[in-house]
Amino acid sequence: MPLTATNEVRAARWALLVQFALFGLVMASWVSRMPSIREALGVDAAQLGALLVVGGAGSLTGALTIGVLVARFGSRTALLGGTAGNVVGFGLIALATESGDVRLFIAGAFINGFCGALVNVPINTNAAEVERRLGTSVLPHFHACFSIGAALGALVAAGFAAAHISITAQILVVLMVVTTLRLVLLRPATALTFHAPITTETGSIATAETKDRRRGAVRQALGAWLEPRTLLLGVVLLAASLAEGTATTWLSLAVVDGFETPEAAGALAYGSFVIAMTVFRFLGTPLIDLFGRVAVLRVSGVATFTGVLVFVFSPSLATAWIGVLLWGCGAALGNPIAISAASDDPADAGPRVAVVTSFSTISSLVAPPLLGLLAAEVGARNAMLVIAAVAVVSFSVASQARRRPAPVLVSG
């Protein structure tokens, strides 16, 4: 049953919606100008791809350690650290593009990858707490704002490129704006989870961390890796991330090669995918409250599976486009549902969300090169069948997302 939102919850909700949009914007704005970065560094496409793997390694390192950091220091400190780290990371990338120094780019890419987790986990944990306080499914709205921010970032990059403004200047301008807004919104965005842990008397969030909580932070974070339900929720998130990330990387190429169409058609197909996913993240959330997480996850898996099959085996681009839209709708809700389920118990939300989101990081690090090898053998369109197979796996473990009430401990 929906609950009445307090001013603090409302403020947190709006602050986090903007934080998600900023996260998408700052990431998409610089990767959208890869040709300029390649030229500034004096490398070819293969060398640039190898350099970007360093960022993926940083993301994986951050994903594997963020649970400890959040449990030990809290979400506000982690988010502040991620914000400060991005200033250093993007600053180094800006210097690299200005000087052509590849070593600076490597350092900046690794720091940014690591700090991505320091931003991603705190904002998702706090968004899940907003959802818990409201008593209704709103987490997909935050992820929709990330998609909107990413689209905005691409437009910003296109605008700077069209105006013939250097990538160095663009990075510094975007970084200054994003950092300022993040700092302004830091306090309201993290107000709901700033204090921890759970009190034994009321089951509510306490007014200060206890020494025992701090001493047990590492044990708590590592313990989340041993929980079968948390790991299976990670599989759900991996499937959703793979469905979304593969479309980002390969869909336009699969359209161009598979249907022998101009590059613009491939870009439009991917744009249709993003629009379908974003719209369904806004409009599909009532389905979660009406039918439950498990049913929505299973229908999403069927939609993804069907959409990919229609795309791969369609005889024409027109019918394949229907598959793209269905695929986008199917990929929309898996990510927020998995994170919401991992946050059912607010006392352990940070470490569990860190574990679950690490599966997304692993997917983004491993999937592109593996799918690239597969695409070289069977074609980009046929390689998409991997997504259909993973959707079946997600369907089979969807029951793990069933809502579990947070335990309320009573003092003896």
Side-chain angles (χ1 to χ4, degrees):
M1 178 180 296
L3 305 176
T4 302
T6 63
N7 289 336
E8 187 179 44
V9 173
R10 281 192 291 267
R13 183 178 185 177
W14 285 107
L16 286 163
L17 287 170
V18 179
Q19 288 277 13
F20 270 84
L22 292 173
F23 190 31
L25 187 152
V26 74
M27 293 303 168
S29 61
W30 77 282
V31 298
S32 296
R33 293 196 67 182
M34 280 302 165
S36 295
I37 293 174
R38 179 180 60 186
E39 182 180 348
L41 296 178
V43 297
D44 58 28
Q47 291 170 326
L48 180 60
L51 293 176
L52 294 176
V53 170
V54 175
S59 297
L60 183 59
T61 304
L64 295 177
T65 57
I66 183 60
V68 174
L69 296 176
V70 170
R72 175 65 179 82
F73 299 105
S75 64
R76 180 173 296 173
T77 302
L79 183 55
L80 180 60
T83 300
N86 276 155
V87 172
V88 176
F90 279 114
L92 289 173
I93 290 177
L95 286 175
T97 56
E98 181 65 22
S99 64
D101 193 328
V102 173
R103 294 168 299 178
L104 290 176
F105 183 86
I106 290 173
F110 183 88
I111 292 171
N112 274 341
F114 182 86
C115 291
L118 294 185
V119 174
N120 188 26
V121 171
I123 62 177
N124 271 290
T125 302
N126 280 275
E129 180 63 15
V130 168
E131 181 178 84
R132 193 182 72 83
R133 298 282 187 100
L134 292 175
T136 186
S137 298
V138 294
L139 199 56
H141 296 170
F142 296 100
H143 289 260
C145 282
F146 173 86
S147 299
I148 293 171
L152 210 66
L155 288 176
V156 167
F160 274 90
H164 304 290
I165 298 175
S166 71
I167 179 61
T168 303
Q170 176 193 309
I171 289 173
L172 293 176
V173 170
V174 171
L175 178 62
M176 181 178 64
V177 173
V178 168
T179 302
T180 300
L181 291 174
R182 278 180 170 175
L183 292 176
V184 169
L185 297 170
L186 177 67
R187 185 172 295 274
T190 56
L192 301 183
T193 65
F194 178 63
H195 302 300
I198 302 298
T199 62
T200 56
E201 290 84 6
T202 66
S204 61
I205 295 179
T207 57
E209 286 189 343
T210 64
K211 292 182 180 179
D212 289 341
R213 177 74 166 191
R214 289 180 175 140
R215 293 193 188 104
V218 174
R219 185 170 60 253
Q220 179 195 31
L222 295 178
W225 284 95
L226 302 178
E227 298 170 354
R229 178 177 182 258
T230 302
L231 295 177
L232 290 173
L233 288 173
V235 172
V236 171
L237 187 53
L238 184 146
S241 299
L242 194 59
E244 181 179 350
T246 301
T248 301
T249 308
W250 296 107
L251 180 56
S252 59
L253 181 63
V255 168
V256 172
D257 290 353
F259 296 97
E260 298 181 352
T261 61
E263 186 177 7
L268 286 174
Y270 174 63
S272 300
F273 174 89
V274 172
I275 290 171
M277 185 173 62
T278 303
V279 169
F280 202 70
R281 278 177 169 168
F282 276 117
L283 302 183
T285 49
L287 300 176
I288 301 174
D289 294 324
L290 186 61
F291 298 107
R293 296 172 181 163
V294 176
V296 172
L297 264 183
R298 285 175 173 163
V299 171
S300 296
V302 171
T304 301
F305 179 82
T306 305
V308 170
L309 291 184
V310 170
F311 174 75
V312 171
F313 296 112
S314 177
S316 70
L317 180 58
T319 52
W321 218 290
I322 297 173
V324 169
L325 295 175
L326 195 57
W327 178 0
C329 291
L333 298 178
N335 194 316
I337 286 177
I339 291 173
S340 179
S343 305
D344 279 343
D345 181 359
D348 295 306
R352 287 173 179 166
V353 169
V355 170
V356 169
T357 54
S358 70
F359 280 76
S360 174
T361 303
I362 292 169
S363 170
S364 64
L365 182 62
V366 174
L370 291 182
L371 283 171
L373 293 174
L374 185 60
E377 294 295 325
V378 301
R381 187 151 67 118
N382 289 329
M384 301 300 101
L385 289 173
V386 171
I387 309 306
V390 175
V392 174
V393 176
S394 177
F395 182 96
S396 67
V397 299
S399 61
Q400 299 300 318
R402 186 169 286 110
R403 190 176 301 277
R404 296 185 180 182
V408 178
L409 303 177
V410 180
S411 60

